[in-house]
Amino acid sequence: MKRTHNATLVTILATSLLVACGGGGGSAVNLETQPLTVTGIAATGAPMANATLQIYGKDGVAVLATPATISSDGSYSATIPATATGPFVFEVDNGSEKVYSVLPNKSSTPVVHVTQISNLIAAKLSPTGNPFNLASEIAAASTTVTSTAVTSATTSVMTALQPLATALSLNGTINPINTTFTANGTGFDRMLDSLDVKIEPKGTKSQIEVTLKQTVNENQDLPLISFAHDATPATLPAVDVTKLASSGLTPKIQQLLDKLSACYADPLSTRITSGGSAAADIQSQNCKDAFIGGNPGGYKSGGMVVSKTQHFGGIFTTDAAAGVSFSDPKFFYSVGTTVANGPTSGDIVFGYRWKDEYGNFNIEKNVGRIDTDGKLKLIGNQYQYDIGVGPYSQRRNYVNQAASTFNSVGYTFGLSCYQLNQYQSAANKIVKVNVTSPGGRKMTFIPNLSSGNCNYSYFVIAFGKDKTGAATVDGMGDPSYATGTGFVRLQSFYESGDTTTTNHPRKLDKNIAFIGGFDGTDLTNDEIEAIPQFGTWTFEYYKTKTAGSTPVATQYFKTTARSLTVDGFKKSVKLPAITADLKTNLIANTSCANNSVYCYVKQATGPFVATWTKPTDPGLLPATYLARVYGIKDVTINSASWVGFEDSIKFGSSRATASIRCGQGDSAVQSYCSGTSPSTANFGTNVSIDALDLVSRAPDGTDVSHFHTLKKLQ
């Protein structure tokens, strides 16, 4: 029996070796002509639960008749048919982001994980550095993905990440594509929790930034490395394991999100007191259990509390039938040192996605704290004043003058004019906010007011010169001329034609904010790429602007992504656009002022109805969630006295139309509107509408805009 057993073992081993080598005579099995069942984990720390997996073969065609579904623990199983030939590209899509991995051939280990590290490896294999393009690039024979190539790319990536692997006591030769792990926040998955990978495609090249997510003070940046996709990446700095996300943190974030999902699943009739609008009116235990100490009243974020009109307003309005769910947890960082009137040491900053059964979704960020029961609960950043900054990209489409259309990238700022100024008593009004960017650039934001009322819902950027070139500064020497925008453009290029220092939109439109003002210059690609993805911005709030004034509060905000370059924006983001019928109607009804540059339409009755189409071509397709119109309250008076307005409406991201009423969102009929109630208000007869903005949210939580304006630049 013993000899027979040995003989059998030898035969098995010999056969295995022959199969692996693909030789050994006519009896060997050619694995490339056989079906192959592949298993793995799809996770970015947290499992990519309910996402779909598709596999593309050498010809760039999908090989799975029906995409596989990722299980709640991140695992999947899929069978590549016998007729399919490698190399294979794996694509996991959760509806807001796509992550990639590779399998060189059917003779390779049939375990393929799809994570941000495999996505980085796929970027290294792509000649353009864009994982999204890899399948088509293989089909076009513009790249060759062999076992050797995959090993080389993996070695390059893991060498750069070695300090993190060492800190976590992971094997130095760990293979991120097929190593055994569980998506539970421990071991290799803890490594995934500690990394953020951003890839900005730019056509022929891509820029990559890898950030180490850990404990950091509010006024400090997170460690990172940045490199071109075809360059050898630098190595992460030394890692202190005590600063990394605690083992098993991501499951705790998901448990909190599950509690929120349970909250929204409770019937509205039992979720809140009938007619309730404040935190104290919340009755659902599931809802209460999502907040620190079981008390939604303890939550505060940027001066906002839990209420019908502020944060988590859906608790008071959304029916259980909407099927709202919270998922896709992402750890960002933990707070190192307590900030007065701000977050506490140990608080956890994280991101997530909510979605409903109608296809609507949004990406959000919040702050949690470990409660006495060991569970993560919502607490908010506890800051006193509104705060926020995020990358913003815009295509400014000149409907009546296509040659003037240009693309801009930069940042917008979350500084509510109503919350900080108009709705405050005289002694509590914030009159200025100085913002310092990563790298030390300083900007000043002020309210754009008429008779104490906000002309725009946000603080606008202030210039140091007015339109005539005269100096405009306050008592502290800071800029004081109010523009009409809170979007600071770092880089702008015409859609077609040359853009130069003398032929530049900044020379023609002096009511929007370009970095450096009317006489400045754009930042270069290198200067933009030097801004960290998780950059720290400092906000200083003032109640007076006289000489010697000091801020009443200093707050900090970390972005989770940096501004794109214009090239990156054009190459990666696909925008919605107004329908052909709406465009035709706008052009046909356009009137222009005496200078023939300021052009507009009038909306005599009813709301302004916006309609748009969504792109179908491949690429990043953000979800449209906000439409707003801009104009002048009384276009018949002298242009020197014109006062602007902005009306907007938020809606589900599955929509392709929106009706915007005059004074939208205000509790009383505004002076430029007509009607007896806000719900029926019409635009006044002297009101002009000169622009429609469609704002969409990208998978990383940043916003992009397709701004359609009737104005002309020249």
Side-chain angles (χ1 to χ4, degrees):
M1 294 292 295
K2 185 176 181 179
R3 291 183 61 179
T4 304
H5 174 76
N6 284 342
T8 303
L9 179 59
V10 170
T11 302
I12 292 172
L13 289 173
T15 303
S16 298
L17 288 171
L18 287 172
V19 170
C21 295
S27 61
V29 177
N30 183 356
L31 295 180
E32 298 302 323
T33 63
Q34 303 297 308
L36 177 69
T37 297
V38 185
T39 60
I41 301 290
T44 55
M48 296 184 73
N50 301 313
T52 59
L53 166 73
Q54 184 55 271
I55 303 173
Y56 297 89
K58 185 178 182 178
D59 56 3
V61 177
V63 305
L64 302 181
T66 301
T69 300
I70 307 301
S71 300
S72 60
D73 63 355
S75 64
Y76 75 86
S77 177
T79 299
I80 299 175
T83 54
T85 304
F88 301 99
V89 175
F90 288 58
E91 177 186 79
V92 173
D93 183 357
N94 69 359
S96 62
E97 68 177 325
K98 295 180 180 181
V99 186
Y100 295 85
S101 192
V102 292
L103 178 70
N105 51 59
K106 291 180 180 177
S107 299
S108 306
T109 303
V111 174
V112 178
H113 301 313
V114 188
T115 70
Q116 65 266 50
I117 298 181
S118 72
N119 199 53
L120 181 51
I121 292 169
K124 295 287 288 180
L125 292 167
S126 165
T128 59
N130 186 354
F132 177 84
N133 291 340
L134 184 57
S136 60
E137 290 166 343
I138 291 172
S142 58
T143 188
T144 303
V145 177
T146 62
S147 296
T148 300
V150 173
T151 298
S152 176
T154 301
T155 299
S156 176
V157 167
M158 293 309 293
T159 298
L161 305 181
Q162 188 58 49
L164 177 57
T166 299
L168 292 171
S169 301
L170 297 175
N171 188 323
T173 59
I174 190 171
N175 189 318
I177 292 181
N178 54 45
T179 189
T180 300
F181 82 101
T182 303
N184 61 0
T186 65
F188 177 69
D189 195 56
R190 192 178 177 196
M191 184 176 188
L192 297 178
D193 276 337
S194 302
L195 291 172
D196 180 86
V197 178
K198 292 287 195 308
I199 301 171
E200 181 185 356
K202 296 182 180 178
T204 59
K205 284 202 173 186
S206 294
Q207 186 69 20
I208 298 171
E209 186 169 302
V210 179
T211 302
L212 182 66
K213 301 185 291 185
Q214 60 175 36
T215 297
V216 66
N217 292 343
E218 283 285 86
N219 62 349
Q220 294 177 323
D221 292 336
L222 290 160
L224 61 88
I225 54 175
S226 180
F227 52 94
H229 83 276
D230 54 355
T232 300
T235 303
L236 281 174
V239 177
D240 181 350
V241 70
T242 65
K243 291 185 176 182
L244 298 179
S246 59
S247 185
L249 175 60
T250 303
K252 289 185 177 181
I253 300 176
Q254 184 59 60
Q255 288 169 5
L256 168 57
L257 300 182
D258 290 342
K259 186 61 66 175
L260 282 172
S261 297
C263 164
Y264 280 71
D266 286 338
L268 191 58
S269 59
T270 60
R271 195 187 310 156
I272 60 169
T273 301
S274 179
S277 60
D281 298 316
I282 295 175
Q283 302 300 310
S284 162
Q285 195 60 48
N286 282 322
C287 296
K288 292 179 180 179
D289 287 345
F291 295 88
I292 198 77
N295 177 23
Y299 173 95
K300 184 169 69 175
S301 184
M304 297 287 192
V305 297
V306 174
S307 77
K308 186 176 181 179
T309 58
Q310 296 187 30
H311 285 195
F312 293 99
I315 290 178
F316 304 88
T317 60
T318 304
D319 192 273
V324 175
S325 63
F326 296 77
S327 61
D328 305 328
K330 287 188 177 181
F331 166 72
F332 289 142
Y333 68 94
S334 296
V335 177
T337 303
T338 298
V339 178
N341 298 310
T344 295
S345 176
D347 284 355
I348 295 163
V349 183
F350 65 97
Y352 57 91
R353 180 177 69 151
W354 68 259
K355 58 184 176 180
D356 63 26
E357 291 184 350
Y358 309 115
N360 306 314
F361 74 88
N362 216 335
I363 311 295
E364 296 182 345
K365 172 185 173 184
N366 218 311
V367 181
R369 183 179 296 169
I370 301 297
D371 211 340
T372 53
D373 59 3
K375 296 180 179 179
L376 183 70
K377 306 289 182 65
L378 287 165
I379 185 65
N381 59 32
Q382 292 294 303
Y383 281 132
Q384 182 178 0
Y385 295 110
D386 196 19
I387 186 171
V389 55
Y392 199 75
S393 304
Q394 183 185 85
R395 182 173 190 259
R396 198 170 180 88
N397 187 335
Y398 285 79
V399 176
N400 287 309
Q401 192 180 57
S404 294
T405 295
F406 67 92
N407 295 285
S408 291
V409 294
Y411 290 89
T412 56
F413 296 80
L415 295 167
S416 169
C417 183
Y418 303 123
Q419 182 194 350
L420 294 174
N421 188 281
Q422 182 174 326
Y423 295 159
Q424 299 296 329
S425 63
N428 291 318
K429 291 183 184 295
I430 297 297
V431 297
K432 178 175 70 172
V433 181
N434 280 340
V435 178
T436 303
S437 72
R441 295 181 178 90
K442 181 180 173 182
M443 292 162 280
T444 297
F445 292 81
I446 58 177
N448 187 321
L449 303 170
S450 294
S451 302
N453 295 320
C454 298
N455 293 320
Y456 302 99
S457 63
Y458 43 80
F459 270 38
V460 299
I461 186 74
F463 282 173
K465 295 180 181 179
D466 64 18
K467 293 179 181 179
T468 68
T472 51
V473 296
D474 61 24
M476 297 171 59
D478 290 329
S480 64
Y481 174 72
T483 66
T485 182
F487 173 28
V488 179
R489 292 163 169 81
L490 304 184
Q491 193 180 70
S492 302
F493 291 100
Y494 288 114
E495 181 78 9
S496 59
D498 293 333
T499 306
T500 65
T501 54
T502 55
N503 181 31
H504 191 285
R506 75 169 73 236
K507 299 296 184 182
L508 300 170
D509 194 332
K510 296 187 177 181
N511 202 41
I512 55 180
F514 299 90
I515 191 73
F518 311 138
D519 301 320
T521 56
D522 285 356
L523 297 189
T524 65
N525 283 358
D526 288 345
E527 287 173 324
I528 292 176
E529 290 162 4
I531 301 171
Q533 302 279 1
F534 283 76
T536 302
W537 299 70
T538 303
F539 289 66
E540 296 174 307
Y541 298 78
Y542 292 84
K543 291 184 178 179
T544 62
K545 296 187 286 187
T546 56
S549 296
T550 57
V552 295
T554 300
Q555 301 180 170
Y556 304 95
F557 191 92
K558 284 183 179 60
T559 56
T560 56
R562 67 153 170 80
S563 168
L564 295 171
T565 61
V566 167
D567 190 43
F569 171 48
K570 292 177 65 176
K571 292 293 194 306
S572 59
V573 181
K574 311 301 180 184
L575 296 170
I578 60 173
T579 60
D581 286 346
L582 178 56
K583 181 178 180 179
T584 298
N585 181 269
L586 290 174
I587 293 174
N589 290 286
T590 292
S591 299
C592 296
N594 292 336
N595 57 16
S596 298
V597 174
Y598 180 76
C599 300
Y600 57 91
V601 295
K602 289 189 175 183
Q603 185 70 33
T605 59
F608 181 95
V609 179
T611 55
W612 59 90
T613 58
K614 301 175 183 180
T616 57
D617 54 329
L620 180 58
L621 303 174
T624 305
Y625 76 95
L626 171 70
R628 53 191 172 195
V629 292
Y630 293 87
I632 302 299
K633 293 181 178 181
D634 187 351
V635 75
T636 65
I637 63 176
N638 188 297
S639 60
S641 301
W642 280 354
V643 176
F645 73 89
E646 168 220 348
D647 288 325
S648 64
I649 183 172
K650 289 185 177 181
F651 43 79
S653 54
S654 60
R655 293 264 295 273
T657 183
S659 298
I660 309 168
R661 285 205 168 274
C662 188
Q664 189 87 39
D666 285 306
S667 58
V669 178
Q670 300 303 299
S671 60
Y672 61 98
C673 308
S674 63
T676 58
S677 70
S679 62
T680 60
N682 294 320
F683 291 91
T685 56
N686 294 332
V687 171
S688 68
I689 295 176
D690 56 54
L692 166 66
D693 192 13
L694 299 176
V695 182
S696 307
R697 183 147 294 170
D700 59 3
T702 61
D703 285 349
V704 294
S705 155
H706 197 170
F707 190 94
H708 303 77
T709 178
L710 300 179
K711 298 179 185 178
K712 298 177 182 179
L713 278 188
Q714 50 193 325

